[in-house]
Amino acid sequence: MARPSRRRLVSGNWKMYHDHVQAIRTVQDLGLRLAGLDLGAVDVSVHPPFTDLRSVQTVIEDRGVPVALGAQHCHNQDEGAFTGEVSPPMLARLGVRYVIVGHSERRTLFGQTDEEVAAILRAVVRHGMTPIVCVGETETERDQGVTHARLESQTKAALGGLPAQQVAGLVVAYEPIWAIGTGRTAEPGDAQVACGHIRQVVAGLADDEAAQSLRIQYGGSVRPDNTAELMTQPDVDGLLVGGASLEAASFAAIVREAGANPR
Ligand code: PGA
């Protein structure tokens, strides 16, 4: 089969770090560091907290910073009496391009269900943005040998029933929960097997063409020094980076490595 021509996507998930002043500084710094890089083969997104989005959008536009604006979450309704929530059209209006959906922290700490993940994903697509749908096994599931079953059920619950041409444009992030924020990264070979399995599941849900176009990121303790090896895996199309995306220097180093290592 021909080599896949999927563009890489490196995304920085800032979680609940950086107020808008710190965010402005970080994105300005990132702009300077990315300016000299060849980003011909890699897309980059940053996902700040909601209160930073407007400020970060302004810096990106004013300075021509080569990153897309991302969000970490949203509600599935366009508007309504949902105290504390933010809607997809509000994000789209701000120029948000990517929205993380179903991050394991939202699933475990805020009780987000597979059904909610599916509804948010569809709302994000409806408003012209790209969801980054997170799936991943716990350490116990890994020890029990049910990783593939877990990935399959989460992927099916999120993507099942979507038309193939919509599936083709999505991003899935494989994030083993035991690797998030722990300093323990999946072995690149294991990340490949998991991402390959997700692609197979997607082919069964949609079709081969959609599965070959859909991008799959790896996430969980990604750092500049483990990026290159992860990126040589054929089914790893990018990275979802938490802690190491908070500093412009380390995030830019990851982006550089991701763009520099062909598979
Ligand atoms: P980490 O987080 O890189 O800090 O492990 C990844 C994520 O939660 O998306």
Side-chain angles (χ1 to χ4, degrees):
M1 193 193 285
R3 293 302 270 173
S5 58
R6 299 181 292 270
R7 276 180 69 79
R8 292 172 167 185
L9 173 64
V10 177
S11 303
N13 171 15
W14 290 5
K15 309 194 179 185
M16 200 171 73
Y17 294 101
H18 287 347
D19 63 30
H20 77 283
V21 179
Q22 295 166 312
I24 289 170
R25 285 202 204 107
T26 305
V27 174
Q28 285 174 341
D29 190 1
L30 190 61
L32 295 174
R33 290 170 190 275
L34 296 183
L37 299 186
D38 174 7
L39 296 179
V42 54
D43 294 329
V44 183
S45 64
V46 290
H47 301 248
F50 289 135
T51 52
D52 303 353
L53 284 174
R54 178 74 169 129
S55 311
V56 170
Q57 179 227 27
T58 305
V59 177
I60 289 174
E61 277 186 9
D62 288 354
R63 303 205 171 196
V65 180
V67 306
L69 188 61
Q72 301 173 20
H73 166 70
C74 64
H75 197 270
N76 65 64
Q77 299 290 307
D78 290 1
E79 60 182 9
F82 301 106
T83 301
E85 287 290 318
V86 167
S87 78
M90 291 172 184
L91 298 180
R93 191 89 169 87
L94 274 173
V96 166
R97 302 255 306 280
Y98 296 94
V99 184
I100 298 170
V101 180
H103 189 280
S104 63
E105 286 153 15
R106 296 227 58 94
R107 292 181 193 254
T108 57
L109 303 174
F110 303 99
Q112 198 172 56
T113 62
D114 276 345
E115 292 69 34
E116 281 164 351
V117 170
I120 296 170
L121 182 159
R122 282 155 179 76
V124 168
V125 170
R126 203 165 55 240
H127 287 280
M129 299 176 288
T130 300
I132 297 178
V133 192
C134 301
V135 297
E137 81 285 3
T138 63
E139 181 144 42
T140 311
E141 287 165 340
R142 179 175 180 245
D143 292 344
Q144 291 169 344
V146 297
T147 296
H148 281 193
R150 187 79 189 117
L151 298 180
E152 189 166 335
S153 76
Q154 286 183 325
T155 304
K156 281 185 172 165
L159 272 53
L162 283 178
Q165 84 266 20
Q166 269 179 19
V167 171
L170 301 180
V171 180
V172 172
Y174 166 57
E175 295 211 302
I177 293 169
W178 49 269
I180 296 178
T182 59
R184 293 168 57 203
T185 315
E187 289 299 324
D190 291 346
Q192 164 57 29
V193 170
C195 292
H197 180 66
I198 292 167
R199 202 177 299 285
Q200 246 182 338
V201 172
V202 173
L205 284 174
D207 58 29
D208 270 338
E209 206 183 320
Q212 287 304 321
S213 328
L214 169 134
R215 293 187 286 182
I216 305 180
Q217 297 176 313
Y218 166 80
S221 297
V222 172
R223 297 180 305 271
D225 67 341
N226 58 28
T227 293
E229 214 186 334
L230 286 162
M231 290 308 312
T232 56
Q233 306 302 317
D235 282 300
V236 178
D237 305 317
L239 302 163
L240 182 52
V241 187
S245 71
L246 292 172
E247 297 287 334
S250 52
F251 191 54
I254 290 169
V255 171
R256 187 183 58 233
E257 286 293 322
N261 285 281
R263 43 187 168 192

